[in-house]
Structures are given as C-alpha cells and as structure tokens.
Amino acid sequence: MKHLLKMLDMSKDEIIDILNLADQLKYELKNGIPHPHLKGKTLGMIFQKSSTRTRVSFETGMYQLGGQALFLSNRDLQIGRGEPVQDTARVLSRYLDGIMIRTFEQKEVEDLAEYGSIPIINGLTDFCHPCQVLADLMTIREFKGTFDGLKMCYIGDGNNMANSLIVGGLKVGMSVSIACPKDYQPDQQVLDFAEQYCDKFSMTDVPLEAAKDADVLFTDVWTSMGEEAETEKRKIAFAGYQINDDIMAVAKPDAMVQHCLPAHREEEITEKVFEAHADEIFEEAENRLHAQKAVMVRVMCK
C-alpha cells in the first residue's frame, strides 16, 4: 500500500492487515515495548481544517514510532497563496518521508499523491475520512471479536463519515444500513459501490427501520466545518435523526454506539446514550492513535 487516500482504494486484506498491525502496536505501547519503525523519518502534517484529535494523534504516533512530525498550517504553505499543488507536492517530496493532509477537496489529496513521490495519508476531506473509519473498525473488532454476522447502522448526515463507513463496513463483511434525509444522502460514487452488496446494504429515511437489530450504531455531528451558515436549516432537516432511547430499543440489547467526536449532546445523540456508551466512544478515539500508526508504518516503512 503506497498511500491512504480513501477506503474505496483499499482491499479487505489491506484493511485487515492494518487492523492487525494496529492491535499489535497498541499491545506494545501498553506493555512498554519500543517499536521505532519510523526512526529518522519525518511526516509533514498539512492542516487546512483544524482538528485536536488528528494533530495530537499523528504527532504522538510519529514520536512513538521514532520519527518526527512537522505541523504545517495555511500560514506556513504557499499552497494557500496560489502555488499549484503539483509544485508543493514535488518540493515537499524532497524534504519529507510522508505527508498527512486534512483539507476540503478530495482532489487535493489525490493530486498530492499523483505529483509527489512520497506516501500521502488522507487525514480527512469533504468526501471521506479513512483514518477515522479504520479506528472505528478496530474498535468494533475489539468489542465484538469479529465482523462476521454484524450489522452496522449509521444515522444522520450522508457525509464523509457515512461514505467511509459504508465502504469499510461492507468490505470487511458487515451488513450496513444508513438512515439519512433524502437531501443529505451519501456520495453517488459510494452508493454505486454499495450496489454490488445489495444483500448487505440498505438506505432509508426512517431511523428506526435502519437501527432494527443493529450491533453497532454510528452518528456524527449535523453541521461540519464549512457548513456553519446552514446550521439552522440542518437542525430542522435532521430532527428525528438522533440516537436516543427509542433507537437503542430496536437495536440489539448489546449494541455498541460509536461517535467520531466532537459530540453535540442532545442533537445527534442524547446525553444519556452517550454516557452509557462513553467507554466504547473514547476507546474509539484512542484507537485513532493506533490505527494511524499502523497506516504510517505500512506506507512509510519501505
């Protein structure tokens, strides 16, 4: 695997390999076993969207792997002032061993991979969030032991999280159900992919229908960065798309709840449900560190 650009690019074997390595790295960290796989290597971290979890987990992960992480904001780069992305990619490829980018357009990530000569890791775009979903899958397997026979349900905006969860969940063998308003459905490219899993994928605008017998329930904020102007419109559109007691009542009795954070309690999820599943949610947050370390090792350790 040369890059991590989107879940659509990954095979089931590549996903499982990342998860297995993440489990191993987590075990080694918890038991004080050094694992300096990236000693002497430098990761450039480009942030055009800010994030507490992404920056801290990648920076800490590189340190634990023996490498160095370099934070690059819009103020530090000419890419935000008119320099073509292909020039930035070719220059940074001569300084760094890898790039993680958190930005808006998926094309920017794809262009860095096309024109650069070093591994590119997608830290989030408007289209997808592969690092988060790898951590999600890691957490599901930790708590459930397997993906076989599980049903994943996502309720809310058909956004980058929904896109990546659909692809990741189906590729590892889970059934996936989505509940979202008709005007906020996942990307058509993802829905086209899901057509080949017609026996395992369903989409509806009725949350209770999607959540029936679910083993894992996911949600996300209703308004992401860049959508603040539509906040009130979205709150109206997503009224009824909340993980609450009614949703939990139709899911499996031992259903997990996952949220990529930050959570807006009493909007997409109730305080009661969030706190009842806080251990699972914050284990999911921790697993961003371990899953991303596994990604960095696989793409940068050549």
Side-chain angles (χ1 to χ4, degrees):
M1 190 171 82
K2 184 176 181 181
H3 308 288
L4 176 63
L5 307 180
K6 54 186 180 294
M7 296 299 294
L8 284 166
D9 296 335
M10 300 184 75
S11 67
K12 177 180 179 179
D13 287 345
E14 287 175 327
I15 294 171
I16 297 300
D17 175 63
I18 291 290
L19 300 184
N20 290 343
L21 179 56
D23 287 344
Q24 179 64 28
L25 293 173
K26 184 174 184 177
Y27 171 84
E28 290 176 357
L29 180 65
K30 300 292 185 185
N31 288 276
I33 302 171
H35 41 268
H37 300 288
L38 298 181
K39 184 178 180 180
K41 293 186 180 291
T42 302
L43 176 76
M45 304 187 302
I46 298 175
F47 282 87
Q48 299 196 23
K49 281 186 175 183
S50 60
S51 171
T52 302
R53 278 159 291 278
T54 299
R55 178 174 179 180
V56 173
S57 57
F58 268 104
E59 202 161 320
T60 301
M62 273 300 287
Y63 174 79
Q64 292 173 358
L65 291 167
Q68 176 183 1
L70 180 64
F71 175 79
L72 302 168
S73 70
N74 280 341
R75 296 186 300 274
D76 304 311
L77 294 167
Q78 294 298 327
I79 195 171
R81 303 180 202 134
E83 181 175 59
V85 67
Q86 55 264 40
D87 291 356
T88 298
R90 287 180 286 193
V91 169
L92 292 181
S93 293
R94 293 168 181 261
Y95 301 150
L96 304 169
D97 300 290
I99 294 172
M100 185 285 299
I101 179 168
R102 184 177 173 94
T103 187
F104 293 89
E105 292 188 29
Q106 179 70 18
K107 186 178 185 301
E108 193 163 352
V109 176
E110 306 277 349
D111 285 349
L112 280 174
E114 179 180 355
Y115 294 105
S117 57
I118 57 176
I120 306 299
I121 299 170
N122 181 348
L124 175 140
T125 65
D126 290 346
F127 174 65
C128 64
H129 200 351
C131 287
Q132 177 64 56
V133 171
L134 288 169
D136 296 339
L137 295 174
M138 179 182 178
T139 311
I140 292 169
R141 197 172 68 166
E142 270 188 8
F143 279 83
K144 296 295 186 181
T146 182
F147 298 121
D148 296 340
L150 296 185
K151 177 181 177 180
M152 171 198 293
C153 171
Y154 174 89
I155 296 173
D157 188 7
N159 58 11
N160 47 13
M161 276 301 301
N163 290 335
S164 294
L165 282 168
I166 291 169
V167 177
L170 291 173
K171 284 194 173 188
V172 298
M174 287 188 285
S175 296
V176 178
S177 63
I178 299 290
C180 55
K182 291 180 179 177
D183 291 338
Y184 295 90
Q185 293 183 348
D187 190 274
Q188 189 59 49
Q189 184 180 355
V190 171
L191 296 180
D192 290 344
F193 163 83
E195 283 185 0
Q196 63 188 294
Y197 297 89
C198 57
D199 59 329
K200 285 184 172 289
F201 177 72
S202 62
M203 184 169 65
T204 178
D205 59 356
V206 182
L208 286 171
E209 179 182 316
K212 189 176 189 316
D213 296 325
D215 297 281
V216 190
L217 292 159
F218 279 88
T219 190
D220 193 11
V221 294
W222 293 342
T223 303
S224 299
M225 186 179 296
E227 298 167 342
E228 291 83 1
E230 292 192 355
T231 296
E232 292 308 314
K233 176 184 174 183
R234 283 175 164 265
K235 284 184 178 180
I236 294 170
F238 290 106
Y241 289 83
Q242 181 189 72
I243 294 186
N244 52 30
D245 285 345
D246 292 339
I247 292 293
M248 299 306 300
V250 300
K252 293 277 186 67
D254 62 345
M256 294 174 62
V257 174
Q258 299 279 264
H259 193 307
C260 64
L261 301 175
H264 295 173
R265 292 164 172 81
E266 304 306 328
E267 289 188 8
E268 72 274 3
I269 188 169
T270 62
E271 175 86 16
K272 178 182 176 182
V273 171
F274 185 94
E275 291 302 330
H277 294 271
D279 286 347
E280 301 156 11
I281 292 169
F282 287 104
E283 196 70 24
E284 171 194 19
E286 178 187 328
N287 284 341
R288 280 286 300 276
L289 170 66
H290 310 300
Q292 288 166 183
K293 284 168 66 177
V295 169
M296 290 189 286
V297 170
R298 282 293 178 256
V299 300
M300 294 175 66
C301 194
K302 304 295 184 182

